[in-house]
Amino acid sequence: MSGFSDLSPLFDPRSVVLVGASERAASVGGRTLANIVDHSDFRGTLHLVNATRPEVRGLPCHRRVADLPSAPELAVIAVPAAGVMEALRECAAIGVKVCVILTSGFGETGEEGRAVEAEMRALAQSTGMRLYGPNCPGVTNINRRLGFTFSPAFKDDLRPGPIGLATQGGGLGRNLMQAMERGAGFALWCSTGNEVDLQVADFIHYMAGAPDVRVIGTILEGIKDGPRFLAAARAAAEAGKPVVALKVGRSEYGMRAAASHTASLTGSAEVNSAAFRQTGMIEVDDVDELVDVASLLARGRPRRGARIAVFGSSGGACALAADMVGQAGIVLAEFALETIAVLAEKLPSFAALGNPVDTTTVTLTNPAVIEETLAAVANDPAVSLVMLPMPLDYGPVSLTVAERMAAAQRLSPVPLVPVWMSERTGAAYRHFAEAGMVPVRSLRNAAKAFRRFIDRGAWEAGAMPRGLGAGPPDGPTRTLSEAEGKEMLRAAGLAVPDGAIARSGAEAAEIASRLALPVAVKIASADILHKSDIGGVALGLRTAEEAGAAFEAVTRAARAHHPEARIEGALVERMAPSGGQEVLLSVSRDPVLGQVMTCGLGGIHVELLRDVSRRLLPVDAAEAGRMLRELRGFPLLRGLRGAPPCDLEALCAAMAALSALVETRPEGIEEIEINPLRVGAVGEGAWALDAVVTLRG
């Protein structure tokens, strides 16, 4: 099932069957029935199936799904694991569109459970019936007050809103939902369980088209289908809906824990992060940050060049807020003269009227000034966000301040963000929550959320990755000799120094005499990748005689260090122009998301500082330029302290050409590493000086 299905029958079905309805209140079937009957606003047709009872809670029951008078759109399966496959087969036979499998005890238990999941998957593929789960908590549609779930918390977590959630963990997903306590509102929540059929990608894709969802939050432990996930992320980007993502498994410990929890591939953390950035997804570090950022994006849309205002009554808190803003790389707004005039008129002469605005204790003695002065700040043309540090709780006085700040929010479309710094959360905190202002719990967290918000405003959709796929996980590979690899690169349009293979010292001298001196001589063997480490490279040879002698030296060194290696001879090449910068450029295969390009400055910048940028293919020249600008060492390419700027146009063209080469045969190329790619001054081009090409098959 490569396409995306309409999941409306899952989120807003006209008819439902609960298979495994129970009188036992604490059972999965009993809790699910209570959520549907007692706590949901479900107005469709509800069928119950119980193999032993003619009725449950006074509602009639059928013994089997096959006995139903008509096919419901949605089936919720709450029977023990041994009876799930029979129930699914009967659902498919009568034409059920979607099944939610609440039951656990399948792939997470071992090989036998995975075999049953394979049966489920085959049934879905052969019939077109979509499966959600198994081992999932069900589906919650808060905006329509529908809970096809066994969660006892459903009845308490019902604040509607514009945020959709798709998670791979039930506990963390419910944790996000309970951010309703500080004013976050949610539209939908799905936790995908074992993902035997429907994946997180399917739910992100659905929410991208759901009119009541403005922001999508997701917690990922692993991605099973890279191209499918990218297609869903692309759909959200095209719909203008930010996706805020928390990826579990970014450390070795986390990867092991995520794999044991979901049996999903986690992929490379660096590649995942690159894919998120490329598709406009906002990666966060923890669940509280996910709520902070998603809630902020639900309240307003960022614009390019966003500026911040800080408004409070504590000079120390305002100064600390300004510190956090500066450390996050955010810019404080400069107020218009009209804004300063309002502040000067309403606030005492000793108040700080710049940015931050320190109103001093006047907000305690005369809280009426808050509404007008704060609204003036929020409506200043330079301001995109307002941070409101709240260092302590003064009880009724703080409540009055919160009421005035909430009133100011109604006078401006710019989000006003309270930062509740006190451990005491009283009536003022609750007022902010009820007003939907979603208090953040620290200045540091607020600055991070503001940074994510502003970065989203600056994001530009470049060449969105299609997802070339990872291909078969195993298979034979073959590494080309340097000469073969460079010939492939030359045919693809990359600049490669002129050269030829010599089989003897005399032939090396003859080739050198034909080329413009100086030349380089390098051992030619697909079995020896690190030639310079063994003395297999000689550079800067200025005569034919030196080239002939170098042939003997590099072949002798190669035989001494790798007596088993197949040696073709030595590659004699014209030396590239001196100067410029060396760059590492490669394309390799991520096991989940497929082909990914990596670039970075050579030498210690890659090996020690790990100063690299990554993108999923395709990469065009414009995207290549964005990759280069992400490098901390980019000023070296641009020309630093009087050094001539490098030929960035040629470098970007080389990166685009390498991408195009791999796109023509994504299943056949395992890895290409060009190290170094010498980038000369403007007009001198970019030359592939060394290349390792590994083919698959």
Side-chain angles (χ1 to χ4, degrees), residues 489 585-587 658 661-662 669-674 692-693:
L489 297 180
L585 178 61
S586 72
V587 173
L658 181 61
L661 168 62
V662 178
I669 294 178
E670 181 68 16
E671 183 175 12
I672 298 177
E673 180 178 306
I674 305 173
V692 177
V693 177

Side-chain angles (χ1 to χ4, degrees), residues 11 162 164 187-188 203-216 239 241:
F11 292 104
L188 309 166
F203 299 116
I204 291 176
H205 185 272
Y206 173 82
M207 292 176 194
D212 60 337
V213 174
R214 294 188 63 201
V215 181
I216 302 167
K241 297 186 179 182

Side-chain angles (χ1 to χ4, degrees), residues 9-82:
L10 175 63
F11 292 104
D12 191 17
R14 290 172 293 185
S15 53
V16 177
V17 58
L18 173 58
V19 184
S22 174
E23 290 276 8
R24 291 181 293 114
S27 67
V28 171
R31 283 178 170 160
T32 304
L33 180 59
N35 282 333
I36 297 173
V37 173
D38 300 333
H39 308 303
S40 292
D41 188 20
F42 178 58
R43 301 180 183 182
T45 303
L46 176 63
H47 303 282
L48 303 183
V49 170
N50 185 298
T52 61
R53 300 178 66 92
E55 65 176 44
V56 170
R57 291 186 52 177
L59 301 173
C61 292
H62 300 275
R63 290 178 57 82
R64 300 172 53 195
V65 172
D67 297 335
L68 295 178
S70 60
E73 289 188 313
L74 175 67
V76 181
I77 311 297
V79 297

Side-chain angles (χ1 to χ4, degrees), residues 6 11 28 50 72 148 192 289 441 497 505 525 541 663 679:
D6 176 19
F11 292 104
V28 171
N50 185 298
F148 306 112
T192 57
E289 188 184 358
R441 292 309 305 271
S525 172
L541 307 171
E663 287 178 71
V679 188

